[in-house]
Amino acid sequence: MTAEPSPAVAGRQREAPAAAYACARPDFVPTINGIALAEAPAFKKPPGGAPANVVVGIARLGGSSAFIGKVGEDEFGYMFADILKQNNVNNEGMRFDPGARTALAFVTLKKNGQHKFMFYRNPSADMLLQESELDLDLIKKAKIFHYGSISLITEPCKSAHIASTKVAKDAGVLLSYDPNLRLPLWPSGESAREGILSIWDTTDIIKISEEEIEFLTKGEDPYDDNVVRKLYHKNLKLLPVTEGPDGCRYYTKEFSGKVKGLKVDPMDTTGAGDAFVAGVLSKLAEDLSLLQDEKRLREALSFANACGAITVTERGAIPALPTREAVMDALLKTVA
């Protein structure tokens, strides 16, 4: 199931050290990899949606989190609310629209587990979240507020997104952004680039992929540090670049480097980046000072890499998100 055009919250109090604004939806994932969507004999329907994955990931890792967003007043919407609750995510910020359906996404999986999405949202409930429906107290309680770019595509959720980040910023909450490029949802490539960059300079942490660097810089080399530094704005505290099985690079004002990933046999890469973000934010929610300590930051990023690696070994995003114990076991095995 998917929830995306809404943010997520990680919080200052136990209720929500992390919060997210995002859409929530079911992801229909084929039971067999490497075939066309129309040829799939059956589908699983694990819940998903990038910021929703992040808040569940944080909760699985032992943190506290909350979700803010909108679903349809339908079976998928109530299913999603129940799944958040079962995973110890505060879902008080969810709203139910009686006139629009919960978003759906169908996922095509290649043999190597890489994915492609086909979305059903014309419009879906997540696109209709209004500023007046935001749970501002949840946002203000958070230590970290996480969101993507899909909620910037249409109104009224675009205005709700911008308003929620302003409330968070004014309350001293750390802002975390994963552009999570989904080109088919935007009117054009240029509108996607413009929309993603429209909130770039307001954010404290931005997680980005090689593909997104290439897109945002109009084809420049995503492996060139000078190219990546063009995307680094003066108020940014951390810019991690995920590289799949190769781990990640990281950039701060003071230092930069690379942290290797874990090698696994991938089944489905859906949610790997969200698991990585959950790993990073869960560590930051515990102690923001690690942003100034390169050794501890590298440890946190190694933890996040393991979160992403474990997630790709199962189908679907939320069902595959790891516990803290599973991540620590995986890291110990790499040392042994």
Side-chain angles (χ1 to χ4, degrees):
M1 190 190 277
T2 294
E4 231 159 68
S6 317
V9 181
R12 171 175 284 117
Q13 302 174 1
R14 183 60 196 168
E15 295 97 294
Y21 171 65
C23 103
R25 75 191 174 232
D27 288 338
F28 285 81
V29 181
T31 54
I32 299 174
N33 290 19
I35 60 175
L37 199 62
E39 296 171 359
F43 296 87
K44 290 187 174 184
K45 58 177 193 312
N53 296 340
V54 170
V55 286
V56 172
I58 289 168
R60 288 262 178 92
L61 295 169
S64 57
S65 58
F67 178 82
I68 296 169
K70 200 172 194 181
V71 292
E73 199 173 89
D74 53 37
E75 289 196 33
F76 285 131
Y78 288 114
M79 179 180 99
F80 193 84
D82 287 343
I83 285 168
L84 290 180
K85 193 171 182 180
Q86 290 163 16
N87 282 280
N88 299 313
V89 175
N90 183 330
N91 65 4
E92 293 172 9
M94 288 189 72
R95 301 292 179 260
F96 296 84
D97 194 310
R101 297 297 189 189
T102 302
L104 303 179
F106 286 82
V107 185
T108 302
L109 296 176
K110 298 178 183 177
K111 289 185 177 179
N112 64 358
Q114 293 294 319
H115 59 269
K116 184 171 70 174
F117 290 96
M118 182 170 72
F119 296 93
Y120 282 75
R121 47 199 305 270
N122 291 308
S124 51
D126 56 273
M127 301 166 69
L128 303 176
L129 182 69
Q130 300 182 49
E131 184 178 344
S132 61
E133 296 175 302
L134 294 171
D135 189 327
L136 301 183
D137 286 340
L138 266 184
I139 297 171
K140 292 173 184 176
K141 285 177 184 175
K143 186 176 288 184
I144 303 168
F145 188 57
H146 178 72
Y147 45 86
S149 68
I150 293 173
S151 44
L152 296 169
I153 298 173
T154 58
E155 293 289 0
C157 66
K158 178 179 178 180
S159 292
H161 178 133
I162 292 168
S164 65
T165 56
K166 185 178 187 308
V167 167
K169 194 80 169 177
D170 290 347
V173 179
L174 201 71
L175 300 184
S176 166
Y177 181 28
D178 180 355
N180 212 14
L181 180 64
R182 296 287 182 262
L183 270 178
L185 296 179
W186 292 86
S188 67
E190 193 50 47
S191 68
R193 189 178 293 108
E194 183 179 326
I196 288 170
L197 293 175
S198 68
I199 60 169
W200 198 264
D201 292 349
T202 65
T203 309
D204 300 297
I205 298 167
I206 301 174
K207 175 264 175 193
I208 195 167
S209 69
E210 302 148 287
E211 174 196 9
E212 288 158 349
I213 293 170
E214 190 170 1
F215 173 75
L216 293 174
T217 60
K218 299 185 178 181
E220 294 191 53
D221 183 0
Y223 298 99
D224 185 334
D225 285 352
N226 294 322
V227 170
V228 179
R229 283 288 181 185
K230 290 179 184 178
L231 295 172
Y232 200 98
H233 66 77
K234 64 179 181 179
N235 297 315
L236 195 59
K237 294 177 173 62
L238 175 65
L239 178 68
V241 179
T242 51
E243 298 183 338
D246 294 326
C248 68
R249 282 173 282 156
Y250 60 91
Y251 300 82
T252 74
K253 286 187 181 71
E254 292 79 24
F255 41 74
S256 62
K258 182 175 174 66
V259 179
K260 68 179 181 179
L262 271 63
K263 302 299 181 185
V264 297
D265 293 323
M267 178 179 288
D268 176 7
T269 60
T270 308
D274 303 326
F276 174 91
V277 172
V280 172
L281 298 189
S282 69
K283 291 293 187 182
L284 286 174
E286 292 172 4
D287 186 2
L288 291 176
S289 70
L290 65 81
L291 288 169
Q292 284 78 50
D293 184 330
E294 186 170 12
K295 180 177 182 294
R296 290 168 58 225
L297 177 60
R298 289 180 61 86
E299 290 170 354
L301 293 171
S302 180
F303 180 87
N305 283 341
C307 291
I310 293 169
T311 300
V312 307
T313 61
E314 294 184 37
R315 292 184 193 277
I318 285 179
L321 294 168
T323 62
R324 180 178 292 263
E325 292 73 22
V327 176
M328 297 311 296
D329 286 346
L331 290 171
L332 284 172
K333 286 175 184 175
T334 64
V335 175

